[in-house]
Amino acid sequence: MCTSFAIITANKSVLTIYKFPSVQFVTLVQLIVTVIVLEVLKLLRLVTFPALSVSSIRDVMPLPLIHLANLLVGLGSTQSLSIPMFQVLRRFTVLFVMIGEITILRKRFSKLTVVTVVAMLGGVIIAFIGDLAYDSYGYTLVLLNDLFTAAYSIYLKKINDKKLMGKLGLMYYNSIVSLPLSLLAFIISGEFQTVKVYAGWSDSWFCAQFVLINVLGFVLMYSAILCTAVCGPLTYNVAGVLKSAAVTYIGMLQWFGGDYIFSWLNFFGITVSALGGVVYSAVTFRSLEQSRADKNKKQEVYVA
């Protein structure tokens, strides 16, 4: 949650305040940094993961493709939307995760959980109606971001359950497979010259933030994999809901991006959605604790 908060702040600064011209280049650098860090750690024998092979790539597909698409649309939507609307619209991820877990993982949810999700998304719709800075391109990107995030967390859980290569192995393969595709996207975009002559490279504060978002990209990927493996995709997204509630209101401040336009209807919708997210999180964690208690009780009965 802390890493996500920091990277959203830095991304917004780099892409909106400093107007960095290429989302594809940011994505490419994040992937390169991840591969280099993991390779160095492996050479130092601090971590282990399977060597690159066709069979291993086949095992993790389509996760790397989803990962790359998620990076691109996530950065693009951060650039196009204000932080409050970006965070509110990201709550559709919860709906997509629920649908995916029901259809793919055959999971069932309580009526109370469904009601809280409906309330949360109702607030999103109200906020949308009151959004004075509506951007159809940004809305499309953030909804795609929600869809890819949900698909990523569900497939990640399935692959983790098979115990094929471990968390770091998944990070490595996500990045190494995505890297040539990201490079191709950057070349096709024709943004190389634009990035090369970008005036911000002479600004030390911009450069520090650019380095930060690429380092945090690695940390965020690892924390996402760890959280999904230990807690499951729904809990991972619950943590995101709690984090986004704080970021949403901070993002209304003019120094935090400076592109949020206040309206009472939009503010009311954001607040309803945020409260729905908090209640949803409480209901989910209570359900999780109850499931663990029931499991422990069954084990005690079995031992007895």
Side-chain angles (χ1 to χ4, degrees), residues 120-221:
M120 184 169 56
L121 297 182
V124 176
I125 294 172
I126 295 172
F128 160 70
I129 295 172
D131 184 13
L132 299 180
Y134 172 74
D135 184 330
S136 59
Y137 177 71
Y139 270 66
T140 301
L141 288 181
V142 77
L143 290 174
L144 286 172
N145 192 197
D146 295 341
L147 183 61
F148 287 131
T149 300
Y152 183 82
S153 61
I154 291 168
Y155 278 102
L156 185 61
K157 180 65 176 174
K158 287 189 70 176
I159 292 173
N160 276 326
D161 288 344
K162 295 178 182 178
K163 303 185 185 303
L164 295 172
M165 60 185 64
K167 305 173 189 65
L168 294 177
L170 283 173
M171 285 182 66
Y172 178 78
Y173 273 89
N174 273 340
S175 301
I176 202 71
V177 175
S178 300
L179 189 54
L181 298 175
S182 179
L183 178 60
L184 181 62
F186 178 59
I187 293 171
I188 292 174
S189 70
E191 294 175 348
F192 175 78
Q193 190 61 30
T194 306
V195 170
K196 183 179 177 181
V197 300
Y198 175 65
W201 295 122
S202 59
D203 187 325
S204 58
W205 181 233
F206 165 79
C207 292
Q209 292 181 75
F210 189 84
V211 171
L212 181 65
I213 63 175
N214 289 292
V215 173
L216 289 178
F218 173 82
V219 179
L220 184 62
M221 272 199 296

Side-chain angles (χ1 to χ4, degrees), residues 270-288:
I270 287 173
T271 301
V272 169
S273 181
L275 290 174
V278 172
V279 174
Y280 165 79
S281 300
V283 169
T284 301
F285 277 114
R286 185 178 299 173
S287 174
L288 183 63

Side-chain angles (χ1 to χ4, degrees), residues 51-118:
L52 189 63
S53 67
V54 175
S55 61
S56 295
I57 293 175
R58 191 185 305 116
D59 287 336
V60 300
M61 294 299 284
L63 206 60
L65 301 179
I66 298 172
H67 171 68
L68 177 59
N70 197 30
L71 277 177
L72 289 170
V73 297
L75 289 169
S77 55
T78 301
Q79 185 179 39
S80 302
L81 297 173
S82 67
I83 288 293
M85 285 310 300
F86 172 77
Q87 291 297 319
V88 166
L89 290 166
R90 287 287 286 147
R91 295 195 177 104
F92 271 103
T93 302
V94 176
L95 175 64
F96 294 151
V97 169
M98 287 184 69
I99 294 172
E101 288 195 325
I102 289 170
T103 56
I104 296 174
L105 303 182
R106 305 300 179 187
K107 192 172 181 178
R108 293 292 177 265
F109 299 96
S110 67
K111 290 182 179 179
L112 185 57
T113 301
V114 175
V115 169
T116 57
V117 170
V118 170

Side-chain angles (χ1 to χ4, degrees), residues 253-272:
L253 302 175
Q254 285 303 305
W255 57 266
F256 198 88
D259 54 355
Y260 174 70
I261 302 176
F262 178 85
S263 77
W264 282 110
L265 183 61
N266 179 260
F267 180 79
F268 176 71
I270 287 173
T271 301
V272 169

